[in-house]
Short mmCIF file of all heavy atoms in Angstrom, two decimals:
data_model
loop_
_atom_site.label_atom_id
_atom_site.label_comp_id
_atom_site.label_asym_id
_atom_site.label_seq_id
_atom_site.Cartn_x
_atom_site.Cartn_y
_atom_site.Cartn_z
N PHE K 209 123.30 85.21 117.65
CA PHE K 209 122.34 86.23 118.07
C PHE K 209 121.16 86.13 117.03
O PHE K 209 121.33 86.48 115.90
CB PHE K 209 123.05 87.58 118.01
CG PHE K 209 122.16 88.77 118.38
CD1 PHE K 209 120.99 88.62 119.07
CD2 PHE K 209 122.57 90.02 117.98
CE1 PHE K 209 120.19 89.78 119.35
CE2 PHE K 209 121.75 91.14 118.23
CZ PHE K 209 120.60 90.93 118.92
N SER K 210 119.97 85.70 117.50
CA SER K 210 118.81 85.50 116.68
C SER K 210 117.79 86.53 116.80
O SER K 210 117.51 86.97 117.86
CB SER K 210 118.31 84.09 117.02
OG SER K 210 117.09 83.78 116.35
N GLY K 211 117.20 86.93 115.71
CA GLY K 211 116.17 88.07 115.80
C GLY K 211 114.89 87.81 115.09
O GLY K 211 114.59 86.62 114.65
N GLY K 212 114.15 88.81 114.98
CA GLY K 212 112.81 88.70 114.37
C GLY K 212 112.81 88.15 112.91
O GLY K 212 111.90 87.57 112.50
N GLY K 213 113.88 88.40 112.23
CA GLY K 213 114.04 87.94 110.87
C GLY K 213 113.96 86.39 110.80
O GLY K 213 113.57 85.76 109.84
N VAL K 214 114.40 85.75 111.97
CA VAL K 214 114.39 84.26 112.01
C VAL K 214 113.00 83.82 112.14
O VAL K 214 112.60 82.80 111.60
CB VAL K 214 115.35 83.77 113.13
CG1 VAL K 214 115.21 82.31 113.39
CG2 VAL K 214 116.78 84.21 112.87
N VAL K 215 112.15 84.58 112.90
CA VAL K 215 110.71 84.20 113.00
C VAL K 215 110.10 84.33 111.69
O VAL K 215 109.39 83.50 111.22
CB VAL K 215 109.99 85.12 114.07
CG1 VAL K 215 108.53 84.77 114.11
CG2 VAL K 215 110.72 85.09 115.39
N LEU K 216 110.34 85.54 110.97
CA LEU K 216 109.65 85.85 109.71
C LEU K 216 110.02 84.80 108.68
O LEU K 216 109.20 84.50 107.81
CB LEU K 216 110.03 87.24 109.31
CG LEU K 216 109.45 88.35 110.21
CD1 LEU K 216 110.16 89.68 109.96
CD2 LEU K 216 108.00 88.52 109.89
N SER K 217 111.27 84.40 108.64
CA SER K 217 111.67 83.35 107.57
C SER K 217 111.47 81.98 108.02
O SER K 217 111.85 81.02 107.36
CB SER K 217 113.09 83.65 107.10
OG SER K 217 113.98 83.10 108.04
N LYS K 218 110.90 81.80 109.21
CA LYS K 218 110.57 80.46 109.83
C LYS K 218 111.85 79.60 109.83
O LYS K 218 111.88 78.48 109.39
CB LYS K 218 109.46 79.77 108.92
CG LYS K 218 108.25 80.57 108.74
CD LYS K 218 107.17 79.78 108.01
CE LYS K 218 105.82 80.48 108.07
NZ LYS K 218 105.55 81.70 107.35
N ALA K 219 112.90 80.16 110.32
CA ALA K 219 114.21 79.52 110.50
C ALA K 219 114.63 79.06 111.85
O ALA K 219 115.82 78.83 112.09
CB ALA K 219 115.27 80.48 109.86
N SER K 220 113.69 78.95 112.80
CA SER K 220 114.06 78.56 114.12
C SER K 220 114.70 77.23 114.19
O SER K 220 115.67 76.96 114.89
CB SER K 220 112.84 78.47 115.08
OG SER K 220 112.03 79.47 114.81
N GLU K 221 114.21 76.26 113.34
CA GLU K 221 114.77 74.93 113.36
C GLU K 221 116.26 74.94 112.91
O GLU K 221 117.12 74.30 113.56
CB GLU K 221 113.97 74.08 112.42
CG GLU K 221 113.82 72.65 112.82
CD GLU K 221 113.00 71.90 111.89
OE1 GLU K 221 111.76 72.29 111.70
OE2 GLU K 221 113.54 70.96 111.18
N GLU K 222 116.52 75.82 111.92
CA GLU K 222 117.88 75.93 111.39
C GLU K 222 118.83 76.50 112.46
O GLU K 222 119.91 76.05 112.68
CB GLU K 222 117.90 76.71 110.08
CG GLU K 222 117.28 75.97 108.89
CD GLU K 222 115.80 75.86 108.86
OE1 GLU K 222 115.14 76.49 109.69
OE2 GLU K 222 115.25 75.15 107.98
N ILE K 223 118.35 77.61 113.15
CA ILE K 223 119.15 78.22 114.10
C ILE K 223 119.46 77.22 115.25
O ILE K 223 120.64 77.06 115.69
CB ILE K 223 118.38 79.43 114.72
CG1 ILE K 223 118.57 80.70 113.94
CG2 ILE K 223 118.75 79.68 116.21
CD1 ILE K 223 119.93 81.43 114.19
#
Side-chain angles (χ1 to χ4, degrees):
F209 177 24
S210 173
V214 172
V215 180
L216 290 162
S217 77
K218 305 184 168 73
S220 319
E221 215 178 296
E222 287 76 8
I223 275 279

